[in-house]
Amino acid sequence: MSTASTAIVVDDSGVRIGTVDGNGQVRDFARVRIGSTRADGVAVDFAGRRLGRVVS
């Protein structure tokens, strides 16, 4: 598992909710995997529900 983050995930109000690792996995601040990213830059949870968007 890579420890370097490549991008930040924010919810729709702009609050930072986690990071995206080099494999496209969204992780919270405790490094727990909470979802993944889609090709359009949207972060989704395991059920496919939108968590927020990926920003650099």
Side-chain angles (χ1 to χ4, degrees), residues 8-18 26 29 34 42-43 50-55:
I8 297 170
V9 177
V10 296
D11 67 9
D12 290 329
S13 64
V15 176
R16 183 177 171 188
I17 59 174
V26 178
F29 299 115
I34 59 173
V42 172
R50 180 184 171 97
L51 293 171
R53 66 187 185 282
V54 179
V55 296

Side-chain angles (χ1 to χ4, degrees), residues 9-47:
V9 177
V10 296
D11 67 9
D12 290 329
S13 64
V15 176
R16 183 177 171 188
I17 59 174
T19 58
V20 180
D21 66 19
N23 298 319
Q25 303 302 308
V26 178
R27 298 184 182 273
D28 66 8
F29 299 115
R31 303 290 300 151
V32 175
R33 184 174 167 225
I34 59 173
S36 61
T37 56
R38 298 190 318 209
D40 60 357
V42 172
V44 294
D45 67 6
F46 299 115

